[in-house]
Amino acid sequence: MIKEFKDFIAKGNVMDMAVGIIIGAAFTAIVGSLVADLINPIISLFMGGVDFSSMYALLGDGEFANITEAEEAGAAVFAYGRFIMAIINFLIIAFVVFLLVKAVNKTKKKEEEAPAEPAGPTDNELLQDILKALKK
């Protein structure tokens, strides 16, 4: 059973998937920073200083200055701003992945269209040339 597991892990697909997951996690951090540090401030500027992630509706009694205080107090909150941010993150990630896949497909297409290098002489042709040379 251990040998089967080693064979399974050694397959290319499993290793490719693991690398993809690791790179995906790192990519998510980059996109998260892109959205939080670059895109949100621009959106906030056009929306009059609105920060989506701080938007919420209180589902109960009490008054709190911000969503963090409400959550720390244990109040039920409807954090629709975080949902909006998750949608923005998803759209940006999906667009960037689309661009990457498009670039990879374009590269593959160019490789497929590239003319193949002419093949050298076959073994038979070389042997025949040697035989002709020896007969002379």
Side-chain angles (χ1 to χ4, degrees):
M1 185 152 109
I2 292 176
K3 183 183 181 315
E4 288 176 330
F5 181 70
K6 285 181 183 178
D7 292 342
F8 172 74
I9 293 298
K11 286 184 181 177
N13 294 343
V14 173
M15 296 306 287
D16 292 344
M17 183 180 69
V19 169
I21 290 170
I22 292 167
I23 290 175
F27 184 70
T28 300
I30 290 170
V31 172
S33 175
L34 171 73
V35 171
D37 301 330
L38 301 177
I39 294 176
N40 282 354
I42 293 170
I43 292 173
S44 178
L45 180 67
F46 288 112
M47 299 283 295
V50 175
D51 178 17
F52 287 118
S53 61
S54 65
M55 295 177 150
Y56 72 101
L58 190 60
L59 302 175
D61 296 330
E63 287 191 29
F64 303 96
N66 56 43
I67 190 169
T68 306
E69 287 182 13
E71 289 175 333
E72 287 175 357
V77 293
F78 186 70
Y80 62 89
R82 290 181 185 161
F83 181 70
I84 292 170
M85 291 310 307
I87 291 171
I88 292 171
N89 285 344
F90 170 77
L91 292 174
I92 292 169
I93 291 170
F95 183 70
V96 171
V97 169
F98 165 74
L99 293 177
L100 289 173
V101 169
K102 188 174 178 179
V104 168
N105 287 342
K106 187 176 182 179
T107 303
K108 283 183 180 180
K109 187 176 181 181
K110 283 184 181 179
E111 288 175 1
E112 290 172 359
E113 291 175 354
E117 292 184 22
T122 64
D123 289 345
N124 265 349
E125 292 170 342
L126 289 174
L127 289 173
Q128 287 175 358
D129 290 343
I130 293 171
L131 185 61
K132 286 179 187 175
L134 288 174
K135 284 183 182 179
K136 291 182 180 179

